[in-house]
Short mmCIF file of all heavy atoms in Angstrom, two decimals:
data_model
loop_
_atom_site.label_atom_id
_atom_site.label_comp_id
_atom_site.label_asym_id
_atom_site.label_seq_id
_atom_site.Cartn_x
_atom_site.Cartn_y
_atom_site.Cartn_z
N ILE U 12 111.58 108.49 106.16
CA ILE U 12 110.68 107.33 106.12
C ILE U 12 109.39 107.72 105.40
O ILE U 12 108.76 108.71 105.73
CB ILE U 12 110.36 106.83 107.55
CG1 ILE U 12 111.64 106.49 108.28
CG2 ILE U 12 109.41 105.66 107.49
CD1 ILE U 12 111.45 106.27 109.74
N ASP U 13 108.98 106.90 104.43
CA ASP U 13 107.74 107.12 103.70
C ASP U 13 106.67 106.24 104.36
O ASP U 13 106.68 105.01 104.19
CB ASP U 13 107.91 106.75 102.25
CG ASP U 13 106.62 106.89 101.45
OD1 ASP U 13 105.67 107.48 101.97
OD2 ASP U 13 106.60 106.41 100.30
N VAL U 14 105.76 106.85 105.12
CA VAL U 14 104.70 106.07 105.77
C VAL U 14 103.39 106.15 105.00
O VAL U 14 102.37 105.70 105.52
CB VAL U 14 104.49 106.51 107.25
CG1 VAL U 14 105.70 106.23 108.09
CG2 VAL U 14 104.09 107.97 107.32
N SER U 15 103.43 106.66 103.78
CA SER U 15 102.19 106.86 103.06
C SER U 15 101.52 105.53 102.69
O SER U 15 100.29 105.45 102.65
CB SER U 15 102.44 107.70 101.79
OG SER U 15 103.36 107.03 100.94
N SER U 16 102.30 104.49 102.40
CA SER U 16 101.68 103.21 102.05
C SER U 16 101.36 102.39 103.27
O SER U 16 100.43 101.61 103.26
CB SER U 16 102.62 102.42 101.12
OG SER U 16 103.84 102.19 101.76
N ASP U 17 102.12 102.57 104.36
CA ASP U 17 101.87 101.96 105.68
C ASP U 17 101.59 100.45 105.63
O ASP U 17 100.64 99.99 106.21
CB ASP U 17 100.75 102.68 106.39
CG ASP U 17 100.86 102.57 107.90
OD1 ASP U 17 101.98 102.27 108.40
OD2 ASP U 17 99.84 102.76 108.61
N PRO U 18 102.47 99.66 104.99
CA PRO U 18 102.28 98.20 104.99
C PRO U 18 102.72 97.59 106.33
O PRO U 18 103.43 98.24 107.14
CB PRO U 18 103.22 97.73 103.90
CG PRO U 18 104.32 98.75 103.90
CD PRO U 18 103.66 100.06 104.27
N ASP U 19 102.34 96.38 106.62
CA ASP U 19 102.79 95.65 107.81
C ASP U 19 104.18 95.14 107.60
O ASP U 19 104.57 94.75 106.48
CB ASP U 19 101.87 94.46 108.12
CG ASP U 19 100.50 94.88 108.60
OD1 ASP U 19 100.33 96.08 108.88
OD2 ASP U 19 99.62 94.04 108.69
N ASP U 20 105.03 95.13 108.66
CA ASP U 20 106.35 94.54 108.55
C ASP U 20 106.31 93.07 108.92
O ASP U 20 105.25 92.51 109.17
CB ASP U 20 107.36 95.33 109.39
CG ASP U 20 107.23 95.14 110.89
OD1 ASP U 20 106.33 94.39 111.32
OD2 ASP U 20 107.97 95.78 111.62
N SER U 21 107.44 92.41 109.00
CA SER U 21 107.53 90.97 109.26
C SER U 21 107.01 90.61 110.62
O SER U 21 106.66 89.44 110.88
CB SER U 21 108.94 90.47 109.08
OG SER U 21 109.81 91.10 110.02
N GLN U 22 106.93 91.57 111.57
CA GLN U 22 106.44 91.27 112.91
C GLN U 22 104.99 91.69 113.11
O GLN U 22 104.47 91.65 114.21
CB GLN U 22 107.33 91.96 113.94
CG GLN U 22 108.76 91.44 113.94
CD GLN U 22 109.65 92.19 114.92
OE1 GLN U 22 109.29 93.27 115.40
NE2 GLN U 22 110.78 91.64 115.23
N GLY U 23 104.34 92.11 112.02
CA GLY U 23 102.93 92.47 112.09
C GLY U 23 102.67 93.93 112.48
O GLY U 23 101.53 94.32 112.64
N PHE U 24 103.72 94.74 112.64
CA PHE U 24 103.55 96.13 112.93
C PHE U 24 103.33 96.91 111.63
O PHE U 24 103.90 96.60 110.61
CB PHE U 24 104.83 96.72 113.60
CG PHE U 24 105.07 96.21 114.97
CD1 PHE U 24 106.00 95.23 115.20
CD2 PHE U 24 104.38 96.75 116.06
CE1 PHE U 24 106.24 94.75 116.48
CE2 PHE U 24 104.62 96.28 117.36
CZ PHE U 24 105.56 95.26 117.54
N THR U 25 102.49 97.94 111.69
CA THR U 25 102.39 98.82 110.55
C THR U 25 103.69 99.63 110.47
O THR U 25 104.43 99.72 111.47
CB THR U 25 101.20 99.78 110.64
OG1 THR U 25 101.41 100.68 111.73
CG2 THR U 25 99.89 99.03 110.80
N LEU U 26 103.96 100.23 109.34
CA LEU U 26 105.17 101.03 109.18
C LEU U 26 105.19 102.17 110.15
O LEU U 26 106.23 102.49 110.74
CB LEU U 26 105.25 101.52 107.75
CG LEU U 26 106.51 102.28 107.35
CD1 LEU U 26 107.75 101.45 107.64
CD2 LEU U 26 106.46 102.65 105.90
N LEU U 27 104.06 102.80 110.40
CA LEU U 27 104.00 103.89 111.36
C LEU U 27 104.31 103.41 112.75
O LEU U 27 105.09 104.04 113.48
CB LEU U 27 102.62 104.55 111.30
CG LEU U 27 102.45 105.80 112.15
CD1 LEU U 27 103.45 106.87 111.77
CD2 LEU U 27 101.05 106.36 112.03
N GLN U 28 103.77 102.26 113.17
CA GLN U 28 104.07 101.71 114.50
C GLN U 28 105.56 101.35 114.61
O GLN U 28 106.18 101.61 115.63
CB GLN U 28 103.22 100.45 114.75
CG GLN U 28 101.75 100.72 114.96
CD GLN U 28 100.95 99.44 114.96
OE1 GLN U 28 101.24 98.48 114.23
NE2 GLN U 28 99.91 99.38 115.79
N ALA U 29 106.10 100.74 113.57
CA ALA U 29 107.52 100.36 113.60
C ALA U 29 108.40 101.61 113.67
O ALA U 29 109.41 101.61 114.36
CB ALA U 29 107.86 99.55 112.36
N SER U 30 107.98 102.69 113.01
CA SER U 30 108.75 103.94 113.05
C SER U 30 108.73 104.53 114.45
O SER U 30 109.75 104.99 114.96
CB SER U 30 108.18 104.93 112.05
OG SER U 30 108.30 104.44 110.74
N HIS U 31 107.58 104.50 115.10
CA HIS U 31 107.47 105.01 116.49
C HIS U 31 108.35 104.17 117.41
O HIS U 31 109.00 104.70 118.30
CB HIS U 31 106.01 104.97 116.96
CG HIS U 31 105.19 106.10 116.45
ND1 HIS U 31 105.34 107.41 116.85
CD2 HIS U 31 104.22 106.11 115.51
CE1 HIS U 31 104.52 108.17 116.18
NE2 HIS U 31 103.79 107.41 115.37
N ARG U 32 108.36 102.86 117.21
CA ARG U 32 109.21 101.98 118.00
C ARG U 32 110.70 102.29 117.79
O ARG U 32 111.49 102.36 118.74
CB ARG U 32 108.93 100.50 117.65
CG ARG U 32 109.62 99.51 118.53
CD ARG U 32 109.27 98.11 118.15
NE ARG U 32 109.75 97.88 116.77
CZ ARG U 32 109.53 96.80 116.07
NH1 ARG U 32 108.83 95.83 116.58
NH2 ARG U 32 110.03 96.65 114.87
N GLU U 33 111.08 102.55 116.55
CA GLU U 33 112.48 102.88 116.24
C GLU U 33 112.88 104.19 116.93
O GLU U 33 113.98 104.31 117.49
CB GLU U 33 112.68 102.97 114.75
CG GLU U 33 114.11 103.25 114.36
CD GLU U 33 114.33 103.23 112.85
OE1 GLU U 33 113.41 102.87 112.10
OE2 GLU U 33 115.45 103.59 112.44
N VAL U 34 112.01 105.19 116.90
CA VAL U 34 112.28 106.47 117.55
C VAL U 34 112.45 106.27 119.06
O VAL U 34 113.37 106.83 119.68
CB VAL U 34 111.17 107.50 117.26
CG1 VAL U 34 111.30 108.72 118.13
CG2 VAL U 34 111.20 107.89 115.78
N ALA U 35 111.60 105.43 119.66
CA ALA U 35 111.72 105.15 121.11
C ALA U 35 113.06 104.51 121.43
O ALA U 35 113.71 104.84 122.43
CB ALA U 35 110.57 104.26 121.55
N ILE U 36 113.52 103.59 120.58
CA ILE U 36 114.81 102.94 120.78
C ILE U 36 115.96 103.96 120.66
O ILE U 36 116.89 103.94 121.45
CB ILE U 36 115.00 101.77 119.79
CG1 ILE U 36 114.02 100.64 120.14
CG2 ILE U 36 116.45 101.26 119.79
CD1 ILE U 36 113.89 99.57 119.09
N LEU U 37 115.86 104.85 119.66
CA LEU U 37 116.87 105.87 119.51
C LEU U 37 116.93 106.81 120.70
O LEU U 37 118.01 107.26 121.10
CB LEU U 37 116.67 106.66 118.21
CG LEU U 37 116.98 105.87 116.93
CD1 LEU U 37 116.52 106.67 115.71
CD2 LEU U 37 118.45 105.56 116.85
N HIS U 38 115.79 107.08 121.32
CA HIS U 38 115.78 107.91 122.52
C HIS U 38 116.52 107.20 123.67
O HIS U 38 117.18 107.83 124.48
CB HIS U 38 114.35 108.27 122.97
CG HIS U 38 113.80 109.41 122.17
ND1 HIS U 38 114.22 110.70 122.31
CD2 HIS U 38 112.83 109.44 121.24
CE1 HIS U 38 113.56 111.51 121.52
NE2 HIS U 38 112.69 110.73 120.83
N LEU U 39 116.41 105.88 123.72
CA LEU U 39 117.14 105.13 124.76
C LEU U 39 118.64 105.21 124.54
O LEU U 39 119.43 105.13 125.49
CB LEU U 39 116.70 103.64 124.72
CG LEU U 39 115.29 103.34 125.19
CD1 LEU U 39 114.96 101.88 124.97
CD2 LEU U 39 115.13 103.71 126.66
N ALA U 40 119.06 105.40 123.28
CA ALA U 40 120.48 105.48 122.96
C ALA U 40 121.00 106.92 123.02
O ALA U 40 122.17 107.17 122.69
CB ALA U 40 120.74 104.92 121.56
N ALA U 41 120.16 107.85 123.45
CA ALA U 41 120.55 109.25 123.51
C ALA U 41 121.79 109.40 124.37
O ALA U 41 121.96 108.72 125.39
CB ALA U 41 119.40 110.10 124.08
N GLY U 42 122.67 110.24 123.96
CA GLY U 42 123.92 110.45 124.70
C GLY U 42 125.10 109.67 124.09
O GLY U 42 126.26 109.95 124.39
N HIS U 43 124.80 108.70 123.25
CA HIS U 43 125.87 107.94 122.59
C HIS U 43 126.49 108.88 121.54
O HIS U 43 125.82 109.67 120.89
CB HIS U 43 125.30 106.72 121.89
CG HIS U 43 126.35 105.80 121.35
ND1 HIS U 43 126.98 106.02 120.16
CD2 HIS U 43 126.89 104.65 121.86
CE1 HIS U 43 127.86 105.07 119.94
NE2 HIS U 43 127.81 104.22 120.97
#
């Protein structure tokens, strides 16, 4: 993931915030 430009996504999250959210979701799926 390239967070250098850090634009907002369609839900208003910055790219860095959206990346942190994605990592949290992947942790919930741990063990799959």
Side-chain angles (χ1 to χ4, degrees):
I12 304 169
D13 178 12
V14 295
S15 61
S16 59
D17 206 20
D19 290 350
D20 70 3
S21 62
Q22 296 177 343
F24 291 100
T25 66
L26 184 56
L27 186 58
Q28 290 170 324
S30 298
H31 283 289
R32 186 178 63 185
E33 183 175 352
V34 169
I36 291 168
L37 288 172
H38 279 290
L39 291 174
H43 189 280

